[in-house]
Amino acid sequence: STALAYSLRLVVAAAVLAELAFLALILVGAPTLGYVVAFCAALAGTSIMAVWQASYHDAWRFELDRRSSTDPLTDLLNRRGFAMASDAAFSGLARQGRPVTLLVIDLDLFKAFNDAHGHQAGDALLQWVAAQLGSSVRPTDAVARLGGDEFAVLLPDTGRPESEPVIRRVEAALSDRASHCLGRASAPEQGTTFDELYRAADSHMYQRKLQRMTALQDVAAAQS
């Protein structure tokens, strides 16, 4: 934590004192045992503080990077973190022709759910969806909350046929509690950049959502 970190001013002051002690040791010429012990203790303390400060700042930089790439509600990747994962996957596509598949998932009627049950229940549903997605994909896949009730899964080194088992697991995991629509697009067939693949997957998702709405309207019309 921040309270455990030594201030930079304190580390510099300790280093200066150790240097002064070293110079005094040289000037005295015949230091006593107590003086040598005190000097070694000061030098050791300065070294410990310097190492602690460096390790603290490394840990803090790591935490800042993690926070800047993670969605605070679901602990999934956010747009920035997902973009970084996408860069790595599409780099493999560009260099070696390795396929990439993108899944885009949108919850149905999430605003209505929020209005009916409150934002706390809505947040809990988003967290549940995030947990289900995380447990349904492979360790090499990247899962993100892009915003609102929109989620995405990036499947590196995965073409359209290989993505089918992942999609089945995702669909099964979400079916109990979260009505949703899923769109898919695969590279290089449907694009060679993330933006192209996202547009294709998003278009596929909305086509499926439109088809579902049309089917429900037809059922309602037939029953009326």
Side-chain angles (χ1 to χ4, degrees):
S1 66
T2 305
L4 294 177
Y6 297 105
S7 69
L8 183 60
R9 182 178 300 177
L10 179 59
V11 175
V12 171
V16 170
L17 289 175
E19 289 292 336
L20 292 175
F22 179 70
L23 291 175
L25 180 61
I26 295 175
L27 293 175
V28 169
T32 64
L33 178 61
Y35 190 90
V36 172
V37 171
F39 169 71
C40 291
L43 188 60
T46 303
S47 301
I48 291 171
M49 285 193 293
V51 170
W52 181 272
Q53 186 76 358
S55 63
Y56 166 79
H57 278 292
D58 286 343
W60 184 240
R61 281 195 297 270
F62 176 81
E63 178 63 15
L64 287 178
D65 288 341
R66 190 193 70 80
R67 291 184 184 183
S68 68
S69 61
T70 303
D71 174 58
L73 177 64
T74 62
D75 208 32
L76 297 178
L77 295 175
N78 59 17
R79 283 187 176 272
R80 179 179 181 272
F82 199 61
M84 294 168 61
S86 301
D87 287 344
F90 280 91
S91 176
L93 171 67
R95 292 197 313 269
Q96 301 172 1
R98 300 202 301 263
V100 181
T101 293
L102 175 67
L103 310 181
V104 177
I105 300 138
D106 188 74
L107 304 186
D108 295 331
L109 303 175
F110 181 70
K111 183 179 183 303
F113 180 89
N114 254 347
D115 293 341
H117 301 283
H119 289 286
Q120 187 172 359
D123 288 349
L125 178 60
L126 293 175
Q127 291 170 333
W128 180 86
V129 170
Q132 299 308 305
L133 291 175
S135 64
S136 301
V137 302
R138 305 162 303 185
T140 54
D141 301 330
V143 186
R145 180 189 177 208
L146 300 183
D149 60 337
E150 183 180 7
F151 296 84
V153 180
L154 188 74
L155 310 177
D157 300 326
T158 305
R160 189 178 184 88
E162 295 81 12
S163 69
E164 289 292 345
V166 180
I167 292 176
R168 286 195 294 268
R169 289 197 300 270
V170 167
E171 296 276 18
L174 298 183
S175 61
D176 289 342
R177 185 176 169 186
S179 177
H180 64 281
C181 205
L182 184 149
R184 170 181 58 186
S186 296
E189 297 87 354
Q190 294 173 274
T192 56
T193 67
F194 174 79
D195 289 340
E196 291 174 346
L197 212 61
Y198 177 80
R199 285 194 294 269
D202 196 54
S203 176
H204 180 223
M205 179 190 68
Y206 278 102
Q207 286 175 8
R208 295 186 64 189
K209 183 166 288 195
L210 182 60
Q211 291 171 355
R212 181 185 300 175
M213 292 176 59
T214 302
L216 291 174
Q217 290 171 354
D218 291 344
V219 170
Q223 293 175 346
S224 61

